Amino acid sequence: MIEEGSKSSKSMVEKRQLFMEMRAQNFDVIRLSTYRTACKLRFVQKRCNLHLVDVWNMIEAFRDNGLSTLDHNAEINVSRLETILSSIFYQLNKRLPTTHQINVEQSIGLLLNFIVATYDSEGHGKLTVFAMKSMLATMCGGKILDKLRYIFSQISDSNGVMVFAKFDQFLREVLKLPTAVFEGPSFGYTEHSVRTCFPQQKKILLNTFLDVLMADPPPQYLVWLPLMHRLANVENVFHPVECSYCRSESMMGFRYRCQQCHGYQLCQSCFWRGHASGPHSNQHQMKEHSSWKSPAKKLSHAISKSLGCMPIGEPPHPVFPEAAERPQDLAHTTTLESPSRLDEEHRLIARYAARLAAEASNSTQCPPTDLSFNFDANKQQRQLIAELENKNREILQEIQRLRLEHEQASQPTPEKAQQNPTLLAELRLLRHRKDELERRMSALQESRRELMVQLESLMRLLKDEEQKQSAQTGSSPHSSPSHSASCTMPMPIRSTSAGSTPTHTPQDCLAGVGDDVLDAFSQGVPRNLRNDLLVAADSITNTMSSLVKELHSVDDGIEEEEENMRNGREKVSSLKHSGKRHSTPSF
């Protein structure tokens, strides 16, 4: 009973953790409910790491977990919801660099508790598929245009016309988010919410839907949604302007300029809290700025606008064709093995790439030839990526299959061991013999490495001595031969301590190399070092030949042991068959 009580209290603490952290941010001091709601939901988004998941990655997660084929009103339990969130965040960690990995378990726990508190406040342990899709598609990262397009694909019919009943269901689910962060009185759902958004239109197509929800200002019930995206875009924007109230010499985030008081500007912290000074009043109209432009840039912008070089009143979104699009659940692009489905995926990616290229052309006014070039290049790259992913998947499957077969073949089963303990002992003996041969092989390889190091040192010393003799011969032709012959030639065959100085004679340094090499340096009169080098090379060749013979003998031993192991396997097979014959009951 005590353990159950502690687990229950721990679960309650985990459920309240996100809300306690949100209260500690003191968002309630913001006087405007729109900014207050957007700041709270932005905090939840970042705390749960949803801002790192793009809407297209979220759609792919819905498809991979089989949600695209389920009805919107189908219910899923909390355990399956946890599985879906796990796949989302584990896939996110695969895309992130190793230096920016997230705590997956913590993100899953925080987001799961928030979703349950938002959509299962009565504790039934279930929620609908449409509620989960609406929540995750709204709170994830990405562009608001892509989110609204996905939402429209979920609430429209086969003709591309919005179904008002489905949009009403979407509002019911999405407006539970402000209620979850204690802003329900300002943005709660009412029966007239749908007609408030679309008061006159009867046939709502995609472009009309985007016009209404991306207007300035948007519908009152959803005004917090575009503001949350603007908050994400200005978090790191710097304004080199002094705040007229707090006198801060720089601003981060939004900047607000009064339309009545000349030169009066407030930072977002002072404006959100309703601070005012001098003749300025909170009733004055303020203009929100999300970027900083220098006076020279403003002048050039105004001149270009007056001369007609820039379009006036650009549309908030590109115009899409009126024909109905397939729902953006990526369900028709599941398998890469089907060529027709692969082509459909390329067409979907191509449409998205074309839209991005069109947006780039509006800002840079690139010629149409550049757009077509970028479109073709993007399509080819996507095709190449899809082919490589398909081949990689097949290779991984083949590797896994071969690995399983190897493990099954190499490991004897308990039945075989029980049937023939003598065979098991032979197998152990063979493995022991194989381990001995491997250790012997390693020792020979180490000896070979040491020998090569010694030979390399010898060659280097011979070369240095020849250079010294040639230099001495050129500088002092009357120098005595005995002087050069008495020079020592240290050779680092064994490592010495830092304070010791090697004083070996040439004969000591060449000990164990060969008699020919010793004879080359045993004379008092220096011989021709080229001939000595040839003698040393012959000694090296003889040593390497003996080493190769030794390695061949080891290989023969390994082959003999492998032959014994094959005979052992044949014995196992014969014993198995004979056991089957003898175990057949007779009546």
Side-chain angles (χ1 to χ4, degrees):
M1 294 295 292
I2 297 176
E3 292 181 358
E4 293 180 357
S6 61
K7 290 181 180 179
S8 177
S9 60
K10 183 179 179 180
S11 177
M12 292 298 294
V13 170
E14 291 178 351
K15 290 181 179 180
R16 296 176 181 176
Q17 178 183 355
L18 184 63
F19 296 100
M20 291 188 295
E21 292 180 2
M22 184 179 64
R23 288 182 182 275
Q25 300 295 320
N26 201 18
F27 291 123
D28 291 329
V29 300
I30 302 176
R31 65 186 181 94
L32 299 177
S33 60
T34 304
Y35 287 97
R36 194 166 57 243
T37 305
C39 288
K40 290 180 178 180
L41 292 178
R42 175 62 178 169
F43 172 80
V44 174
Q45 182 191 48
K46 294 182 64 177
R47 189 65 182 84
C48 298
N49 290 312
L50 277 175
H51 66 297
L52 302 175
V53 184
D54 191 81
V55 62
W56 297 103
N57 300 128
M58 194 66 72
I59 297 172
E60 185 180 5
F62 295 158
R63 179 202 66 186
D64 294 340
N65 288 275
L67 300 180
S68 303
T69 59
L70 296 179
D71 185 76
H72 282 176
N73 296 322
E75 293 184 340
I76 59 175
N77 53 27
V78 177
S79 61
R80 184 172 182 184
L81 173 61
E82 186 175 3
T83 302
I84 296 170
L85 297 182
S86 299
S87 67
I88 291 173
F89 286 113
Y90 278 112
Q91 289 296 325
L92 170 63
N93 251 2
K94 291 181 180 179
R95 296 189 298 268
L96 293 176
T98 55
T99 56
H100 293 77
Q101 297 286 298
I102 65 171
N103 190 336
V104 175
E105 297 298 333
Q106 185 182 39
S107 301
I108 295 172
L110 292 175
L111 183 57
L112 180 64
N113 291 327
F114 179 75
I115 295 177
V116 171
T118 303
Y119 294 98
D120 188 29
S121 57
E122 298 180 359
H124 297 299
K126 294 182 179 180
L127 71 160
T128 63
V129 173
F130 186 71
M132 190 197 65
K133 283 185 176 181
S134 302
M135 184 270 172
L136 293 177
T138 303
M139 293 294 293
C140 69
K143 297 181 179 180
I144 187 173
L145 176 65
D146 299 331
K147 293 184 180 181
L148 294 177
R149 286 188 63 197
Y150 171 71
I151 291 170
F152 185 82
S153 69
Q154 301 296 304
I155 62 176
S156 58
D157 57 15
S158 58
N159 297 321
V161 180
M162 187 188 77
V163 180
F164 279 91
K166 291 184 177 181
F167 180 69
D168 180 74
Q169 184 182 4
F170 167 72
L171 285 181
R172 288 176 184 270
E173 304 299 344
V174 78
L175 289 179
K176 291 180 182 179
L177 293 173
T179 304
V181 294
F182 315 107
E183 297 296 335
S186 301
F187 300 103
Y189 171 81
T190 63
E191 297 180 355
H192 306 287
S193 300
V194 177
R195 287 300 171 187
T196 304
C197 297
F198 302 98
Q200 298 177 355
Q201 294 89 343
K202 295 182 179 180
K203 184 179 180 181
I204 309 299
L205 300 177
L206 175 60
N207 291 316
T208 306
F209 180 79
L210 296 176
D211 288 339
V212 173
L213 268 67
M214 297 184 67
D216 189 16
Q220 180 59 31
Y221 290 98
L222 297 174
V223 68
W224 50 270
L225 180 58
L227 179 58
M228 186 175 69
H229 285 78
R230 296 204 307 273
L231 279 173
N233 294 331
V234 302
E235 285 182 345
N236 298 318
V237 174
F238 174 76
H239 305 269
V241 182
E242 182 182 9
C243 177
S244 301
Y245 182 83
C246 66
R247 299 302 176 184
S248 175
E249 297 181 356
S250 60
M251 303 181 188
M252 294 293 293
F254 286 120
R255 174 173 55 92
Y256 298 90
R257 182 166 55 87
C258 182
Q259 302 296 295
Q260 299 183 22
C261 304
H262 178 71
Y264 194 88
Q265 302 188 77
L266 293 175
C267 63
Q268 68 176 20
S269 178
C270 294
F271 175 75
W272 288 355
R273 288 160 174 76
H275 295 161
S277 60
H280 177 71
S281 172
N282 289 330
Q283 304 301 322
H284 292 180
Q285 184 179 2
M286 303 288 288
K287 185 176 181 181
E288 180 185 281
H289 294 272
S290 58
S291 61
W292 163 257
K293 293 181 181 179
S294 62
K297 197 170 184 179
K298 290 180 181 178
L299 179 61
S300 62
H301 181 81
I303 294 175
S304 301
K305 197 172 183 180
S306 62
L307 296 176
C309 299
M310 297 180 60
I312 301 175
E314 295 181 357
H317 65 84
V319 179
F320 296 95
E322 297 295 339
E325 290 186 346
R326 306 184 74 170
Q328 297 182 15
D329 53 8
L330 302 181
H332 54 288
T333 62
T334 304
T335 57
L336 293 175
E337 288 78 5
S338 175
S340 60
R341 293 185 176 182
L342 182 60
D343 294 338
E344 291 175 357
E345 181 180 13
H346 291 328
R347 285 196 292 270
L348 179 65
I349 296 173
R351 287 199 299 270
Y352 183 61
R355 183 177 61 77
L356 294 177
E359 292 178 359
S361 67
N362 291 334
S363 60
T364 60
Q365 297 183 356
C366 296
T369 55
D370 294 341
L371 296 180
S372 61
F373 176 77
N374 294 333
F375 172 81
D376 296 336
N378 197 345
K379 183 176 180 180
Q380 293 176 359
Q381 291 175 359
R382 295 284 183 176
Q383 290 176 349
L384 180 59
I385 291 173
E387 294 175 359
L388 293 176
E389 288 179 349
N390 189 21
K391 292 180 180 179
N392 185 47
R393 190 180 298 107
E394 294 176 355
I395 292 172
L396 291 177
Q397 292 176 356
E398 184 66 18
I399 291 174
Q400 185 67 19
R401 184 183 64 80
L402 294 175
R403 184 178 298 167
L404 292 175
E405 292 180 356
H406 177 71
E407 291 177 355
Q408 293 174 0
S410 60
Q411 295 182 357
T413 59
E415 291 79 9
K416 295 179 182 178
Q418 293 177 0
Q419 291 175 2
N420 194 348
T422 305
L423 181 60
L424 181 60
E426 291 181 1
L427 290 176
R428 289 177 179 173
L429 183 61
L430 290 174
R431 288 175 184 160
H432 181 69
R433 178 58 178 167
K434 181 181 178 182
D435 293 338
E436 289 181 354
L437 289 175
E438 289 178 351
R439 288 194 296 269
R440 185 181 177 188
M441 187 71 178
S442 300
L444 290 174
Q445 291 288 351
E446 182 65 22
S447 300
R448 179 187 177 187
R449 188 188 65 80
E450 293 180 356
L451 179 60
M452 295 303 296
V453 172
Q454 295 174 9
L455 293 176
E456 183 180 359
S457 302
L458 176 61
M459 300 295 287
R460 185 168 57 252
L461 288 172
L462 290 174
K463 184 177 179 180
D464 294 342
E465 186 65 20
E466 184 176 4
Q467 291 177 355
K468 290 180 180 179
Q469 290 183 0
S470 61
Q472 291 175 0
T473 304
S475 58
S476 58
H478 299 287
S479 59
S480 61
S482 60
H483 177 72
S484 59
S486 63
C487 296
T488 61
M489 295 170 56
M491 180 176 178
I493 297 178
R494 294 291 185 266
S495 60
T496 58
S497 60
S500 63
T501 303
T503 58
H504 305 295
T505 62
Q507 288 78 6
D508 295 334
C509 297
L510 299 174
V513 177
D515 296 333
D516 295 335
V517 180
L518 290 175
D519 294 337
F521 293 97
S522 61
Q523 302 297 329
V525 181
R527 299 171 58 184
N528 189 356
L529 288 179
R530 184 180 303 274
N531 297 330
D532 296 340
L533 184 61
L534 293 176
V535 172
D538 292 336
S539 178
I540 293 170
T541 303
N542 296 330
T543 307
M544 292 299 296
S545 300
S546 61
L547 179 61
V548 170
K549 291 179 181 179
E550 186 69 20
L551 292 176
H552 280 306
S553 64
V554 174
D555 292 338
D556 295 338
I558 293 176
E559 291 178 357
E560 181 181 355
E561 296 302 328
E562 290 179 351
E563 182 66 25
N564 294 334
M565 293 180 69
R566 284 197 294 270
N567 296 333
R569 293 194 186 97
E570 293 176 357
K571 291 181 181 180
V572 171
S573 178
S574 62
L575 289 173
K576 182 177 180 181
H577 289 298
S578 63
K580 288 183 178 179
R581 289 196 299 269
H582 292 298
S583 62
T584 304
S586 60
F587 299 94

